[in-house]
Amino acid sequence: MSTRVPTQLSLPSQAETDLTIHLERLRAIALGVFESAQSTFLLLILVRWFDGTSAEKSLVAGAYQSGLLVTPIILYLTRRLALAPSQAMSCLFGAAASLYALAAIISNHSAFVILTSIGSLLHAASSPLMTTMMYSNYPAARRGLIHSQNNSIRLATSIIFASIAGWALSGRLSYYSYLIGLYSCALAAASYLLWKVPRCGGALTERPLLECFTHIKIDRVLRDTLIAWMFLGFGNLMMLPLRIEYLANHEHGLQLSEMEITLLVATIPHLARLVASPMWGRLFDRLNFFSLRITVNLFFLLSVFSFFSSSSFLSLAVAAAIFGFSNSGGDVAWSLWVTKFAPPDLVPDYMAVHTFFTGVRGVIAPIVAFSLLGVVSLTTLMWVSATLMSFATVQMFFIRERSAKGGSPQVS
């Protein structure tokens, strides 16, 4: 097992950190607008307006996860082009903005599915670069807190925007292209702000395309954690798109308006994430990572059971709040966990491997979920999900105990 302890290659100046925080808070507003696309409105428009097929639902629901699959390639190209992480992210967001603009202008079924899916893919492909930028531009002792503060701004914006958009589209889904145009503007603003971020770490050192995967063999903590996360993520992600399917498809017995669905899948969960985010950020900075992750997993289990066993709006709202609370902790852990133990020059590599496997399960899980939905009940899928997440939680408990006995400092 690797026992390498990360150290900051060079500390950012206070001015660089302050400017990064300022720009990232502005970008959080833009991302708050865009977040409702992937969490709610793309799938809602596809289900209610276009009457999309199961394959199309799977494609749209898995687009973001598909972007995680190409993160090793994006990392390799960033290095070959000698770009700083923030520069590469700016290019990705700019391209995504262009695709969403085309989807708004062309305004037909095929364009909607293809262009928005590719745009979401490009947005997701920036994940390892984002973690690397935070590693270079933020002091180690405050990374979790700063990240959670940015999340709070993003979530507050998302709550407001999703509520307004849900009200505006209720009974008026034919105007969806205006919403897609707003998403394009948000992505363009994020691209501009990223270009202005200080490039504290400079360009990344060039390495072979697949070298990042060799660390799985070398670092046992990384390897075991990725295995546990695969079970956890698959169980969670297979149920995520089914939340909208459960609420929006009248076959499941719920008669909810677009506004009510928006409240349950966007507004209420985001509000819970907003309230909980600072707490999870502080806990990330102070706790053993695996203790934090186990706690988050237990809340995810509770959220799955409570949501898919509810039939009234009030019980669904409580379940949605539990999910948002869980998701807040999961976001901090997912985004920053490699900074707990990756060597400084390998933070993007570790994150690229992590995001790649997230993409694998993220692409497969919605396909499996929608395919099985025609064969088994939602209750059965709920139990399958809970079993997978429970198994992962037990695995992480043993990884934590083994790491503690081995005196490994990187997960403290």
Side-chain angles (χ1 to χ4, degrees):
M1 178 176 62
S2 170
T3 57
R4 294 168 293 188
V5 183
T7 57
Q8 195 80 20
L9 283 176
S10 61
L11 292 174
S13 69
Q14 188 61 49
E16 289 173 325
T17 295
D18 290 345
L19 178 56
T20 303
I21 291 173
H22 172 68
L23 292 169
E24 282 296 280
R25 284 177 177 172
L26 292 175
R27 187 170 75 97
I29 297 173
L31 290 183
V33 171
F34 181 69
E35 180 159 322
S36 64
Q38 296 166 127
S39 66
T40 307
F41 289 109
L42 294 184
L43 198 53
L44 179 60
I45 292 166
L46 183 60
V47 171
R48 284 279 175 93
W49 181 250
F50 289 118
D51 192 25
T53 64
S54 293
E56 289 171 337
K57 294 174 190 176
S58 299
L59 180 63
V60 171
Y64 181 87
Q65 308 298 334
S66 300
L68 300 179
L69 281 173
V70 302
T71 51
I73 298 173
I74 295 299
L75 180 60
Y76 173 73
L77 292 174
T78 299
R79 284 172 159 154
R80 282 298 301 266
L81 297 171
L83 295 174
S86 57
Q87 288 178 297
M89 282 192 291
S90 178
C91 295
L92 290 170
F93 276 69
S98 300
L99 291 170
Y100 267 79
L102 284 174
I105 294 169
I106 298 175
S107 190
N108 67 52
H109 189 170
S110 298
F112 175 83
V113 173
I114 295 172
L115 295 173
T116 60
S117 294
I118 298 175
S120 296
L121 181 152
L122 293 175
H123 168 246
S126 67
S127 296
L129 302 173
M130 182 66 231
T131 301
T132 306
M133 188 185 80
M134 288 190 289
Y135 187 83
S136 300
N137 288 35
Y138 295 152
R142 296 172 55 210
R143 276 192 206 112
L145 179 59
I146 294 171
H147 179 66
S148 66
Q149 289 171 339
N150 291 340
N151 274 351
S152 295
I153 296 171
R154 187 185 86 239
L155 292 168
T157 305
S158 185
I159 290 168
I160 296 170
F161 183 82
S163 299
I164 295 172
W167 168 80
L169 286 182
S170 288
R172 296 180 286 269
L173 279 177
S174 59
Y175 293 100
Y176 79 88
S177 59
Y178 292 100
L179 180 63
I180 302 302
L182 287 175
Y183 289 146
S184 174
C185 293
L187 288 166
S191 174
Y192 172 79
L193 292 166
L194 281 165
W195 193 262
K196 297 293 184 179
V197 169
R199 294 149 197 176
C200 297
L204 301 177
T205 304
E206 186 173 344
R207 290 195 175 92
L209 173 59
L210 300 179
E211 184 180 291
C212 58
F213 290 97
T214 62
H215 307 300
I216 299 173
K217 181 179 180 181
I218 297 170
D219 195 321
R220 184 180 178 183
V221 173
L222 175 67
R223 181 174 65 252
D224 291 350
T225 304
L226 289 175
I227 292 171
W229 218 312
M230 183 62 76
F231 286 102
L232 168 70
F234 198 95
N236 188 30
L237 291 170
M238 68 182 293
M239 301 306 293
L240 193 58
L242 293 184
R243 291 174 182 269
I244 296 179
E245 173 72 18
Y246 179 54
L247 299 175
N249 195 326
H250 297 308
E251 293 180 3
H252 301 296
L254 298 176
Q255 303 294 326
L256 300 172
S257 68
E258 283 83 2
M259 183 61 194
E260 288 173 320
I261 294 171
T262 302
L263 285 171
L264 291 171
V265 299
T267 306
I268 294 173
H270 289 344
L271 184 59
R273 289 172 68 186
L274 174 64
V275 173
S277 189
M279 180 199 77
W280 288 117
R282 289 185 176 90
L283 288 175
F284 178 86
D285 290 332
R286 298 174 184 177
L287 287 184
N288 172 282
F289 163 72
F290 292 107
S291 297
L292 176 73
R293 185 67 251 190
I294 289 168
T295 303
V296 174
N297 292 0
L298 294 175
F299 278 106
F300 268 124
L301 274 167
L302 178 60
S303 75
V304 168
F305 278 120
S306 58
F307 192 90
F308 289 98
S309 59
S310 298
S311 56
S312 70
F313 183 84
L314 180 59
S315 59
L316 285 166
V318 172
I322 297 172
F323 175 71
F325 181 83
S326 311
N327 214 19
S328 179
D331 178 74
V332 174
W334 188 90
S335 299
L336 295 176
W337 75 282
V338 300
T339 66
K340 286 280 190 178
F341 63 92
D345 58 331
L346 295 180
V347 167
D349 298 75
Y350 275 51
M351 192 64 184
V353 172
H354 169 50
T355 53
F356 173 81
F357 285 109
T358 302
V360 170
R361 57 183 174 263
V363 170
I364 297 174
I367 297 173
V368 171
F370 281 115
S371 299
L372 289 178
L373 190 59
V375 180
V376 301
S377 66
L378 267 174
T379 301
T380 301
L381 288 176
M382 177 188 72
W383 280 105
V384 172
S385 169
T387 301
L388 291 172
M389 289 194 285
S390 298
F391 181 68
T393 302
V394 173
Q395 279 185 295
M396 288 186 174
F397 173 80
F398 285 113
I399 297 171
R400 185 190 67 180
E401 296 303 301
R402 187 168 60 246
S403 299
K405 290 178 181 179
S408 179
Q410 66 267 44
V411 292
S412 62

